[in-house]
Structures are given as structure tokens and as C-alpha cells.
Amino acid sequence: RFDFNLNRAMTPEEVSAVEGLVNGWVAEATPTSTAVMDLSEARAAGATAMFGEKYDDVVRVVQVPGVSMELCGGTHVSNTAEIGAFKVVSESGVASGVRRIEAVAGQAAVEYLQRVDGVVRQLAANLRVKAEDVPTRVVALQDELKATSKQLADAKAQLAVAKAAALASQAQPGPGGSGRVLVAELPGLDGKALQEAAVSLLSQLGDPAAVLLASKGEGDAAGKVSFVAALSPQVSSIKC
């Protein structure tokens, strides 16, 4: 892993560029060199200190000519070709203004790519498309899901209004016989549909009127209770 200063997330293009640079350097098969020297001498030679590391007075310096010179570098290969493939597996924030790249190399990179390839192949088989068409198909499915969810929400709202129409006759006279008050339960409706029902009832009951509806969720929303209160202009203008 490698931590570095940046006040935003890297773009996918930047991550790919990093991978391209590293794999390019690896492919050049450049011999590395190591040396042990005083810390001050290493800094004077241009050696780069790793982020957040502490060093003794005498340090190990690893150099890849033309690429990098680092204090106590973690690379322990005699030639960059020994590193093999390099693949970034994640890029994330670890603190304010600090990002972290995590990557695998060599056989670990090959195994990672094989796992990813297996996932993509399975997705392609399930979606019945070519591997390169998986992203497009997923976006299309997301759009279809959004459209279906909207249609379902609209249908629930219409059903709520229909149920509400049958409840209007159950309204009771308000305090002192003025206006009408309705308190009822409409099972299986979400908050939006319940609100639609309350607004519809209020328009049927006239002014002054007050409506309080409750609904207990079903399925994934089981155990969740929603309440909606709707007041006509005359009622909402009353000051306590």
C-alpha cells in the first residue's frame, strides 16, 4: 500500500495511468541498487522519505535508476522484472487530505485478475451478454428498475386515494360539532402513498377538517409504522 497527499479521490483514468507507469517501469527490467548510508547523506542525494515513516541515523537506500530513490524502500528485488504484474485493487481516503492506494503484484496480481475475470464471466453469463457489454446491460437494468419502482409508487398512490374515498364517510364531527375529523389506518402503504390519501380525504371533507392516517409496513418495511396528519386551512390557522 502507498499513502500520499491529495484532497480528492483519484479518477479511474488516474488510477489506470498509475498502473501503466508502474507496469512500464517493471517491463523495462531495470537492475536495482541498494546502499547503506547516513540519513543526511541519503537526503542530500535526493532519496525520498516514505509518508509518515521514522528513520534511524543510518538508512538503507533503494534505487531504481531513472525511476526512484527511496529511504528504506520496501522493494527487495535485484531487477524490476522480478516484480511481475502490478494491479491497483483499491484507492481510498484514510484521513483529511490523505489517500491510500492498495495494490498487488506478481502472482498475487495474476490471481486477483483471475478472480475478477471469473466474476465478469459469471455476470455476462447471467445477463446473457458479452463480457464487454456487462456495464451497458447493468445500466439498462438500473433504468428499468427505476421506471418500475416509479410505476409501483404511482400505483400505490392511486390505490391509497381509492381506499381513502371509502373512508370519507367515516369522518366524525369536530369539537363542538364544527368541521369533520377522520382517524383511520390504511395498511401496507408507504409514507408517500399515505400522504396522497390524506390530501385526497382532506379535499373531500372540506374546511374545516383534520385527517390523521396510519399505516403499518409490509414485506421489507415490516414493523415500520408511518403517520400522516393533514389539516385544512381553517384548522391549521388556529393558534393554541
Side-chain angles (χ1 to χ4, degrees):
R1 69 187 187 188
F2 178 71
D3 294 348
F4 57 99
N5 294 110
L6 189 66
N7 58 5
R8 60 171 178 80
M10 292 178 67
T11 65
E13 293 76 17
E14 288 172 333
V15 173
S16 294
V18 168
E19 291 178 337
L21 282 172
V22 175
N23 282 306
W25 291 328
V26 169
E28 289 174 356
T30 303
T32 65
S33 64
T34 61
V36 176
M37 61 184 72
D38 291 339
L39 177 59
S40 58
E41 182 183 354
R43 290 186 183 279
T48 302
M50 291 294 96
F51 187 87
E53 295 290 338
K54 294 182 179 179
Y55 299 96
D56 295 328
D57 292 336
V58 177
V59 294
R60 173 177 176 267
V61 178
V62 176
Q63 182 176 12
V64 181
V67 177
S68 70
M69 177 188 290
E70 299 173 1
L71 296 178
C72 301
T75 300
H76 296 277
V77 295
S78 59
N79 188 294
T80 58
E82 296 174 28
I83 297 173
F86 172 87
K87 178 64 180 176
V88 175
V89 298
S90 71
E91 190 276 340
S92 60
V94 294
S96 178
V98 180
R99 307 295 298 179
R100 172 175 293 171
I101 279 181
E102 295 185 351
V104 287
Q107 184 59 33
V110 173
E111 293 171 356
Y112 172 80
L113 291 172
Q114 288 175 333
R115 290 195 301 271
V116 172
D117 182 66
V119 171
V120 173
R121 287 176 180 273
Q122 186 62 58
L123 282 172
N126 292 344
L127 296 174
R128 298 182 179 180
V129 297
K130 295 179 180 179
E132 58 267 29
D133 294 331
V134 167
T136 302
R137 181 57 180 150
V138 170
V139 171
L141 287 174
Q142 289 175 323
D143 291 340
E144 291 176 14
L145 179 59
K146 288 179 182 178
T148 301
S149 297
K150 185 180 184 305
Q151 292 174 358
L152 179 60
D154 291 343
K156 284 185 176 181
Q158 293 173 7
L159 177 61
V161 171
K163 287 183 177 181
L167 291 175
S169 61
Q170 300 177 22
Q172 301 296 315
S178 175
R180 304 176 74 184
V181 176
L182 177 63
V183 179
E185 179 183 358
L186 289 174
L189 299 182
D190 57 22
K192 184 178 183 299
L194 204 62
Q195 185 176 7
E196 294 282 351
V199 171
S200 176
L201 276 168
L202 203 62
S203 66
Q204 295 179 61
L205 297 179
D207 194 9
V211 176
L212 175 61
L213 300 179
S215 180
K216 185 176 181 180
E218 298 177 348
D220 293 339
K224 180 180 179 181
V225 179
S226 299
F227 290 94
V228 170
L231 307 176
S232 68
Q234 286 189 45
V235 177
S236 60
S237 65
I238 296 175
K239 297 181 179 180
C240 300

